[in-house]
C-alpha cells in the first residue's frame, strides 16, 4: 500500500530531459500525453469539419452539429445569458479535462493526475473569472465588489481569489489520483475481470463527472462575477 | 507527482490555449459559418413566406370586395329588371285594356250603325209597301168590302214582311 502510493506519487514523471537549466525546463509526462491527445483531437476536428455544407449534410456533419449544439447549449445554460460569450472556452476545457481523465483507458497516466496540469487549469479558470468580472464591472466596480454584500466580508472575498482555484485544482487532482490509486489496488487484489468493470466507473464515469464539475464550478464563478 | 514545475504549468496553459484556438477556429468557427448561412436562408425563406401570405391576404380581400360588389350589382340589376318588367307588364296590361275598351266601343258603335241601317231598311220597305198598297187601291175601283179585304191583306203582308 505504502509502496504503491510512493510509486504513484513520487515516481519520476520527467519524460523529456532538457540538458540546460538544471532540470528547470524538464517536460513532464503529463504534458507529453497532453500533446499526444491534442494531436489526435486536432486531427479529428480537422477531419470532422473539413467539408461542411449548408444543405444535404452528411451524417458525420449532422452528428457533429448536434453534439456541438448540445454541449454548447448545456454549457451556456450553466453560464447564463450575460456570460454566454465564454461558452467556447468552457467547452474546450470540458473536452480537455474529459479526455485527460479518460486517457487512462489507453494505458497512459492521466495528465490530470499531475498537480501541474490541475494548477494550470485552475489558474486559467480564476484568471477568466476575475477578468470576466473586471470587464463587466470596470475597475471601480471590480474593486467595490469585494466589499459586497458588506465591508466586513471583504477579507473573505479576497481569500476566495485563492480558495476557489485551490479547491478546483485539488478536487480534480485528488479525484483522479484517488481513482487511479483504487484501480491500482484492485488490480493487485483481483487482476482480471473486476478491474475492467470498475474501470468503466473510475475512468469513464468519474472522469466525465470531474470534467463536468470543474466546468460547472468555473461557469458558476463566471456567472456570479458578471452579475 | 507532487513537485510543482512552473515550466510545465506554462506548457499546460499553452496547450489549453492552443486547443482553445483550434476549437474556436476550426470547430466552432466553421460550424458557426454553416449555421449562420443556414439561419440567413431560413430568415429569407420566412420573410418570403410572410410576404407571400401578406400578398395572398391582400388579394383575398380584394376579391372578397369584388365579390361583394358583384353581389350588390347583381341585386341592383335584378331589381332594375324586375322594375322594368313590372313597368312593361303594366304597360302591356294597360294597352290591352285600352284596346279592349276600344274594341268594345267600336263594336257598340258598329252595332248601333247596323241597327240604324236595318231600321232604315225596314222603314224603306214599309214605305215601299205603303206606296205600293196605296197605288193599288188608287188604281182599282173598290167597295168598302174590297177596302176591308185590302186592309187585311196589307196588314198580313206587313206582318209577314216584318217577320220575314
Amino acid at each position: 500500500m505504502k509502496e504503491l502510493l510512493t510509486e504513484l506519487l513520487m515516481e519520476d514523471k520527467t519524460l523529456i530531459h532538457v540538458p540546460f537549466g538544471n532540470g528547470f525546463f524538464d517536460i513532464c509526462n503529463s504534458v507529453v500525453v497532453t500533446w499526444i491527445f491534442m494531436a489526435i483531437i486536432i486531427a479529428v476536428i480537422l477531419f470532422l469539419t473539413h467539408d461542411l455544407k449548408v444543405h444535404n449534410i452528411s451524417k458525420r456533419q449532422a452528428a457533429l452539429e448536434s453534439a456541438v449544439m448540445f454541449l454548447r447549449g448545456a454549457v451556456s445554460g450553466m453560464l447564463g445569458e450575460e456570460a454566454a460569450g465564454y461558452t467556447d472556452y468552457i467547452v474546450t476545457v470540458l473536452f480537455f479535462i474529459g479526455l485527460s481523465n479518460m486517457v487512462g483507458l489507453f494505458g497512459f497516466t492521466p495528465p490530470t493526475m499531475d498537480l501541474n496540469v490541475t494548477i494550470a487549469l485552475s489558474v486559467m479558470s480564476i484568471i477568466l473569472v476575475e477578468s470576466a468580472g473586471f470587464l463587466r464591472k470596470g475597475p471601480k466596480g471590480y474593486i467595490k465588489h469585494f466589499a459586497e454584500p458588506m465591508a466586513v466580508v471583504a477579507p473573505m472575498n479576497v481569500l476566495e481569489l485563492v480558495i476557489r482555484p485551490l479547491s478546483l485544482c485539488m478536487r480534480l487532482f485528488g479525484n483522479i489520483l484517488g481513482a487511479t490509486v483504487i484501480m491500482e489496488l484492485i488490480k493487485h487484489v483481483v487482476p482480471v475481470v473486476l478491474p475492467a468493470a470498475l474501470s468503466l466507473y473510475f475512468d469513464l464515469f468519474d472522469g466525465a463527472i470531474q470534467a463536468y464539475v470543474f466546468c460547472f464550478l468555473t461557469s458558476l464563478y463566471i456567472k456570479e462575477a458578471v452579475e | 507527482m507532487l513537485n510543482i514545475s512552473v515550466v510545465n504549468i506554462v506548457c499546460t496553459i499553452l496547450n489549453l490555449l492552443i486547443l482553445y484556438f483550434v476549437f474556436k477556429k476550426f470547430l466552432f468557427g466553421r460550424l458557426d459559418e454553416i449555421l449562420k448561412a443556414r439561419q440567413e436562408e431560413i430568415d429569407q425563406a420566412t420573410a418570403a413566406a410572410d410576404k407571400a401570405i401578406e400578398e395572398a391576404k391582400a388579394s383575398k380581400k380584394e376579391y372578397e370586395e369584388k365579390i361583394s360588389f358583384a353581389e350588390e350589382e347583381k341585386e341592383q340589376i335584378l331589381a332594375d329588371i324586375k322594375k322594368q318588367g313590372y313597368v312593361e307588364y303594366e304597360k302591356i296590361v294597360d294597352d290591352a285594356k285600352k284596346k279592349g275598351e276600344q274594341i268594345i266601343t267600336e263594336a257598340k258603335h258598329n252595332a248601333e250603325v247596323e241597327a240604324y241601317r236595318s231600321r232604315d231598311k225596314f222603314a224603306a220597305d214599309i214605305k215601299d209597301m205603303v206606296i205600293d198598297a196605296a197605288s193599288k187601291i188608287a188604281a182599282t175601283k173598290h167597295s168598302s168590302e174590297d177596302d176591308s179585304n185590302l186592309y187585311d191583306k196589307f196588314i198580313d203582308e206587313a206582318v209577314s214582311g216584318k217577320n220575314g
Side-chain angles (χ1 to χ4, degrees):
Chain A
M1 179 83 189
K2 202 171 182 184
E3 293 97 57
L4 181 70
L5 276 178
T6 318
E7 187 194 320
L8 278 172
L9 289 174
M10 297 304 168
E11 70 173 359
D12 185 20
K13 54 185 180 178
T14 307
L15 202 80
I16 300 170
H17 191 71
V18 180
F20 51 88
N22 198 17
F24 181 76
F25 295 102
D26 287 356
I27 303 296
C28 290
N29 191 10
S30 55
V31 176
V32 177
V33 171
T34 311
W35 286 343
I36 293 168
F37 81 71
M38 269 175 67
I40 293 169
I41 202 174
I42 289 169
V44 168
I45 284 176
L46 289 179
F47 167 71
L48 286 176
T49 60
H50 78 275
D51 189 22
L52 296 181
K53 290 181 214 132
V54 178
H55 295 293
N56 293 327
I57 59 172
S58 57
K59 280 182 181 173
R60 167 174 61 87
Q61 189 185 339
L64 178 75
E65 273 178 23
S66 45
V68 170
M69 295 319 281
F70 168 74
L71 277 176
R72 275 182 150 182
V75 171
S76 60
M78 295 192 292
L79 278 165
E81 269 174 36
E82 286 175 353
Y86 300 98
T87 307
D88 291 355
Y89 175 77
I90 302 291
V91 173
T92 311
V93 172
L94 192 69
F95 263 93
F96 185 92
I97 300 175
L99 286 167
S100 298
N101 293 347
M102 288 172 200
V103 289
L105 286 175
F106 304 103
F108 296 108
T109 311
T112 33
M113 216 179 84
D114 183 353
L115 202 53
N116 294 318
V117 172
T118 57
I119 288 172
L121 283 167
S122 48
V123 165
M124 284 298 286
S125 281
I126 200 65
I127 289 173
L128 195 70
V129 169
E130 296 308 321
S131 54
F134 189 81
L135 289 174
R136 176 82 188 172
K137 292 171 179 157
K140 253 190 174 176
Y142 180 72
I143 302 291
K144 261 187 193 167
H145 100 276
F146 284 109
E148 280 166 6
M150 54 181 92
V152 186
V153 298
M156 293 291 187
N157 283 334
V158 175
L159 265 180
E160 271 198 340
L161 280 179
V162 182
I163 293 166
R164 278 176 173 180
L166 191 69
S167 71
L168 280 176
C169 152
M170 288 305 174
R171 178 182 301 111
L172 187 55
F173 170 70
N175 268 291
I176 304 304
L177 179 72
T180 312
V181 167
I182 291 171
M183 281 305 294
E184 288 297 321
L185 287 173
I186 288 167
K187 276 179 204 165
H188 276 272
V189 179
V190 188
V192 287
V193 182
L194 194 60
L198 286 173
S199 166
L200 275 180
Y201 177 82
F202 285 115
D203 283 328
L204 281 177
F205 182 69
D206 194 39
I209 285 287
Q210 288 313 314
Y212 176 76
V213 166
F214 191 96
C215 291
F216 176 71
L217 286 172
T218 308
S219 308
L220 208 69
Y221 296 155
I222 294 174
K223 191 180 179 185
E224 201 184 284
V226 297
E227 257 171 11
Chain B
M1 193 61 46
L2 285 174
N3 55 337
I4 291 162
S5 151
V6 177
V7 171
N8 283 293
I9 291 173
V10 172
C11 276
T12 304
I13 288 174
L14 284 178
N15 284 345
L16 197 57
L17 289 177
I18 290 166
L19 199 63
Y20 171 63
F21 284 116
V22 169
F23 264 73
K24 183 95 180 161
K25 184 153 171 56
F26 293 105
L27 187 61
F28 299 131
R30 283 175 175 181
L31 264 186
D32 280 346
E33 266 174 36
I34 297 291
L35 293 176
K36 201 180 159 198
R38 205 174 286 159
Q39 189 62 46
E40 268 170 16
E41 265 181 26
I42 290 168
D43 287 349
Q44 276 175 8
T46 312
D50 284 349
K51 206 181 154 196
I53 287 170
E54 287 296 315
E55 278 174 6
K57 272 184 186 163
S59 45
K60 192 185 163 199
K61 206 177 167 189
E62 198 181 317
Y63 287 129
E64 270 173 0
E65 268 170 20
K66 270 186 187 168
I67 285 168
S68 66
F69 186 68
E71 199 80 11
E72 269 173 30
E73 209 170 17
K74 190 185 88 184
E75 293 286 320
Q76 186 65 37
I77 287 168
L78 274 179
D80 282 358
I81 286 173
K82 269 186 189 164
K83 208 171 161 188
Q84 209 176 343
Y86 193 67
V87 167
E88 200 80 5
Y89 165 79
E90 289 268 288
K91 202 177 145 194
I92 287 167
V93 169
D94 225 36
D95 281 359
K97 265 186 189 167
K98 268 182 193 164
K99 227 171 197 172
E101 276 171 11
Q102 200 184 344
I103 287 166
I104 288 167
T105 317
E106 271 177 16
K108 270 184 183 167
H109 184 69
N110 283 351
E112 268 174 21
V113 168
E114 202 66 26
Y116 277 122
R117 203 180 283 165
S118 54
R119 202 174 62 187
D120 281 357
K121 199 182 166 211
F122 191 58
D125 283 351
I126 287 175
K127 201 169 76 187
D128 286 350
M129 268 194 283
V130 169
I131 291 167
D132 199 27
S135 59
K136 273 179 184 170
I137 291 164
T140 56
K141 270 188 175 172
H142 55 282
S143 60
S144 60
E145 196 181 330
D146 289 340
D147 282 352
S148 171
N149 284 340
L150 273 173
Y151 285 137
D152 285 346
K153 196 184 173 190
F154 171 72
I155 288 164
D156 282 345
E157 273 181 14
V159 169
S160 69
K162 201 181 179 183
N163 286 346

